């Protein structure tokens, strides 16, 4: 299990030096980063950030990648103005910090973003992806939000919603083999529960040798041994969205 002194082993990884091709907008009470594809589309993806918040360049890089693949991508501030976690923070305070940021209490914000995507962007088919904290939020939304078509949960924290597996929409779960925070026994248990209870298409995939955050918090150019898996994870994510949106 994870070291209790560091309940989340999320180091920030390789922080990208990346400015982003999109723009920041205000959507009712939420700030959000939006990037649109060159050609018009009615397909959109909500990107749910990890503990490092909506302004992390790595997450914006992923949103821009979705836009380059033909989706309107929006990454809202699901902490709604509360500070994101900083690598310099004391990990002993992490659980207290987390109590005020519940991945299962984002429904109001999601409704606001869905309305914006539909009314302002012309989106008709909307999916969601999320990383770590955001990956758990994806699982929550796939269990209850009827307006989303599909989801991709990337190393979502299983223990947040481990007792619930009756998904409403096709969901793809991406996990890392050497994730200090999500033991493989938890992944196996999730698979068993999905097999028993899930009536929609789902997939659980474990990427060999990888650690927590590999798809968006590692750079291929400085992690050559991880490059094939980083690229595979990103490609799998896009292929899943292409299939269901």
């Amino acid at each position: 299990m994870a070291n209790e002194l560091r309940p989340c082993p999320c180091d920030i990884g390789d922080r990208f030096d990346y400015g982003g091709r999109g723009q920041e907008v205000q959507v009712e009470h939420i700030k959000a980063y939006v990037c649109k594809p060159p050609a018009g589309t009615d397909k959109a993806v909500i990107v749910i950030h990890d503990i490092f918040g909506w302004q992390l360049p790595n997450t914006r890089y992923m949103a821009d990648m979705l836009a380059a693949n033909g989706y309107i991508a929006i990454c809202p501030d699901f902490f709604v103005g509360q500070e994101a976690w900083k690598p310099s923070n004391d990990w002993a305070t992490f659980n207290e910090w987390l109590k005020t940021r519940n991945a299962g209490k984002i429904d109001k914000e999601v409704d606001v973003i869905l309305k914006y995507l539909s009314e302002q962007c012309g989106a008709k088919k909307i999916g969601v992806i999320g990383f770590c904290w955001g990956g758990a939020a994806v699982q929550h939304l796939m269990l209850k939000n009827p307006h989303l078509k599909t989801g991709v949960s990337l190393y979502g924290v299983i223990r947040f919603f481990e007792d619930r597996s009756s998904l409403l929409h096709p969901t793809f779960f991406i996990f890392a083999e050497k994730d200090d925070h999500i033991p493989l026994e938890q992944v196996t248990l999730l698979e068993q529960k999905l097999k028993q209870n899930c009536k929609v298409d789902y997939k659980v995939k474990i990427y060999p040798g990888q650690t927590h955050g590999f798809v968006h918090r590692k750079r291929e150019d400085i992690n050559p041994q991880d490059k094939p898996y980083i690229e595979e994870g990103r490609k799998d994510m896009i292929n899943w969205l292409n299939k269901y949106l």
Side-chain angles (χ1 to χ4, degrees), residues 18-24 32-33 35 47 54-66 75:
Y18 184 74
R21 296 203 307 270
Q23 59 185 29
E24 293 186 6
Y33 174 79
C35 191
V47 178
W54 73 295
Q55 291 175 309
L56 184 71
N58 306 43
T59 307
R60 296 193 171 188
Y61 179 81
M62 298 301 287
D64 290 1
M65 193 177 82
L66 289 168
C75 180

Side-chain angles (χ1 to χ4, degrees), residues 179-203:
D179 191 326
D180 290 341
H181 194 38
I182 305 171
L184 290 179
E185 309 87 80
Q186 285 186 14
V187 178
T188 304
L189 200 59
L190 173 71
E191 274 197 280
Q192 287 169 357
K193 287 181 177 173
L194 288 168
K195 206 169 185 177
Q196 287 162 5
N197 305 315
C198 194
K199 306 277 192 287
V200 296
D201 194 14
Y202 67 86
K203 185 172 181 179

Side-chain angles (χ1 to χ4, degrees), residues 3-163:
N3 178 342
E4 292 313 311
L5 291 172
R6 280 196 60 179
C8 179
C10 297
D11 63 35
I12 206 150
D14 308 318
R15 192 184 176 110
F16 294 3
D17 179 19
Y18 184 74
R21 296 203 307 270
Q23 59 185 29
E24 293 186 6
V25 296
Q26 186 78 36
V27 186
E28 292 186 28
H29 67 293
I30 313 160
K31 285 186 170 148
Y33 174 79
V34 180
C35 191
K36 295 183 178 175
T41 181
D42 64 353
K43 297 175 181 181
V45 178
I46 300 169
V47 178
I48 308 183
H49 54 75
D50 58 20
I51 60 170
F52 298 112
W54 73 295
Q55 291 175 309
L56 184 71
N58 306 43
T59 307
R60 296 193 171 188
Y61 179 81
M62 298 301 287
D64 290 1
M65 193 177 82
L66 289 168
N69 279 276
Y71 295 99
I72 301 158
I74 184 164
C75 180
D77 174 15
F78 281 107
F79 294 161
V80 199
Q82 296 186 97
E83 271 198 43
W85 184 257
K86 291 201 238 3
S88 56
N89 288 7
D90 178 0
W91 285 98
T93 66
F94 181 75
N95 283 334
E96 278 307 304
W97 175 90
L98 194 61
K99 279 177 190 169
T100 58
R101 294 157 181 81
N102 185 331
K105 292 194 173 162
I106 59 168
D107 300 307
K108 190 170 90 173
E109 284 69 42
V110 169
D111 287 344
V112 166
I113 296 301
L114 285 169
K115 184 172 174 235
Y116 168 81
L117 287 171
S118 163
E119 293 178 2
Q120 305 294 319
C121 306
K124 293 188 175 70
K125 297 174 191 157
I126 302 171
V128 59
I129 69 163
F131 307 95
C132 180
W133 182 90
V138 168
Q139 186 177 347
H140 162 73
L141 291 170
M142 290 295 98
L143 288 161
K144 67 171 297 188
N145 192 303
H147 306 296
L148 292 159
K149 298 274 184 226
T150 189
V152 181
S153 170
L154 296 100
Y155 24 88
V157 188
I158 294 173
R159 63 188 167 82
F160 289 173
F161 304 107
E162 63 190 338
D163 55 337

